Amino acid sequence: MPVTTRDSAPKSVPRHVAIIMDGNNRWAKQQGLKSSAGHRAGVEVIRPLLKQTRARGVEIVTLFAFSSENWRRPTLEVQALMRLFSSYLYSETKQLHTDGVRMRFIGERSQFSAALRKQMDYSEQLTRFNRDTQLVIAVDYGGQWDIVSAAKVLAEKVKAGELSTDEFSVELFGRHLALADVAKPDLCIRTAGEQRISNFMLWQLAYSELYFTDCFWPDFNSEELDKALDAYAFRERRFGGRDNDNNAETPE
């Protein structure tokens, strides 16, 4: 999607941006604060981020909020994260609905409290018909879990005689993954200096552009987002093809 940016030159805008929000704890330590303060500061970034991505033409934003591995963190930190997540849903859902944002969650929900699952269901149901922007929150999510979950569904279909292994394909498998109904991320941003994807959307990020920044997530402001989007705009995406190759794979 070409747009006119700050220098008035037409540039490409990612349709779907996925973000690994890293550095809350290190930011808090740097400020001499508790880790919970870092997580609260990180949540405050989300509202202006959505406003800016929408203004720049991004349709889908997926945030890696809580990974499958995060349950290994200290109990008090996990409890604080769950309270913060609940507080965010309580305070932001109606405003997001007013703004035309559809909320969705991907991940294994069974370990969350019944009250939190109810909040998640309410947020999804209230905003399900919104089409302006999609906010996807990945909670208790892991790329390996996603792939295994899809494999289990397909295995059950084979067991029931509904599917033959001869029918297996990349496309079929992809249709059983989380977010199978939306475009794969064009751009994945990770903050706080780490240069890995940490089990995030392993299948979906196969051809995504990756952008790493040293900026801690609580400091990820409009200027930092512009840097990421501008960096993406000047990359040439060939999807396995060559320069100017008309036979290059087309992204979904």
Side-chain angles (χ1 to χ4, degrees):
M1 179 188 303
V3 300
T4 300
T5 58
R6 291 167 296 166
D7 60 2
S8 298
K11 295 180 180 179
S12 176
V13 173
R15 182 181 179 188
H16 184 174
V17 174
I19 305 177
I20 302 173
M21 306 179 293
D22 196 10
N24 291 337
N25 283 325
R26 279 173 281 170
W27 179 89
K29 185 176 181 179
Q30 189 180 76
Q31 304 294 321
L33 302 171
K34 294 181 179 180
S35 62
S36 57
H39 294 305
R40 286 195 299 271
V43 167
E44 293 301 317
V45 174
I46 299 174
R47 183 185 292 177
L49 171 82
L50 291 176
K51 182 177 181 180
Q52 188 181 4
T53 52
R54 183 173 181 175
R56 290 290 299 264
V58 177
E59 299 175 19
I60 308 160
V61 175
T62 297
L63 302 177
F64 200 12
F66 190 84
S67 75
S68 305
E69 293 75 28
N70 285 157
W71 292 110
R72 302 172 188 167
R73 292 189 176 189
T75 301
L76 290 178
E77 183 178 355
V78 171
Q79 290 174 345
L81 286 168
M82 294 300 103
R83 288 194 298 269
L84 187 59
F85 183 32
S86 176
S87 176
Y88 175 78
L89 295 182
Y90 179 80
S91 64
E92 296 294 319
T93 294
K94 289 185 179 179
Q95 184 60 54
L96 289 169
H97 178 50
T98 299
D99 293 342
V101 177
R102 181 184 180 187
M103 296 183 70
R104 302 177 66 175
F105 304 95
I106 57 173
E108 174 58 63
R109 304 188 191 190
S110 63
Q111 295 193 72
F112 296 133
S113 68
L116 186 51
R117 292 198 302 270
K118 185 176 181 179
Q119 280 186 289
M120 294 166 70
D121 291 341
Y122 171 76
S123 298
E124 288 184 321
Q125 289 301 311
L126 179 67
T127 64
R128 67 188 185 281
F129 296 122
N130 294 338
R131 294 292 180 266
D132 292 346
T133 309
Q134 289 196 52
L135 170 62
V136 181
I137 302 178
V139 284
D140 197 4
Y141 174 86
Q144 294 171 335
W145 165 87
D146 198 357
I147 292 170
V148 169
S149 296
K152 286 181 178 178
V153 172
L154 291 171
E156 287 298 326
K157 290 186 176 182
V158 171
K159 183 178 179 180
E162 301 172 4
L163 183 69
S164 164
T165 55
D166 292 337
E167 299 176 77
F168 273 44
S169 66
V170 170
E171 292 74 17
L172 176 66
F173 198 92
R175 289 199 297 270
H176 290 79
L177 292 164
L179 294 185
D181 60 323
V182 303
K184 295 182 177 67
D186 303 291
L187 171 66
C188 178
I189 300 169
R190 180 166 187 157
T191 58
E194 305 296 347
Q195 298 189 16
R196 55 180 179 268
I197 59 175
S198 296
N199 196 23
F200 182 45
M201 302 184 82
L202 298 178
W203 182 283
Q204 297 89 336
L205 293 179
Y207 279 100
S208 302
E209 295 296 320
L210 304 179
Y211 177 87
F212 302 107
T213 174
D214 291 333
C215 175
F216 293 144
W217 176 247
D219 291 327
F220 194 80
N221 55 21
S222 60
E223 182 179 351
E224 292 294 334
L225 178 63
D226 280 337
K227 289 179 184 177
L229 296 181
D230 289 349
Y232 171 86
F234 288 102
R235 296 186 187 183
E236 184 175 359
R237 306 184 71 203
R238 296 189 294 273
F239 302 95
R242 298 185 299 274
D243 292 347
N244 302 315
D245 186 350
N246 293 327
N247 293 319
E249 180 185 347
T250 301
E252 294 181 14

